[in-house]
Amino acid sequence: RWCAVEIVGAGDGRAELRLAARPDFLNQAGGLHAGLIASLIDRACGFAAAAPAADTKTTAIRHRPNI
């Protein structure tokens, strides 16, 4: 809720999220903070896994961003 991620769409094992970047989301170099990017990836994977295609199975992966 703090970062106001919008779910653009989810289904058939896919998900698309949108985030409007704000100045407080930026790192010292002016780019989007890597922790926020990792959180978006995690959420998108969760939504995609919750909406699998009819003929697929879901599995867990290890999400380990190297920052």
Side-chain angles (χ1 to χ4, degrees):
R1 294 171 200 195
W2 167 76
C3 61
V5 173
E6 176 187 354
I7 304 165
V8 177
D12 294 327
R14 301 174 60 93
E16 181 180 347
L17 280 69
R18 180 179 300 145
L19 169 75
R22 304 187 317 228
D24 57 325
F25 291 168
L26 306 181
N27 60 24
Q28 297 88 344
L32 194 59
H33 191 280
L36 192 54
I37 294 170
S39 178
L40 285 171
I41 293 168
D42 182 62
R43 291 193 68 190
C45 288
F47 283 117
D55 60 345
T56 60
K57 296 180 181 179
T58 25
T59 186
I61 61 169
R62 183 175 180 179
H63 174 156
R64 191 175 110 189
N66 293 319
I67 302 170

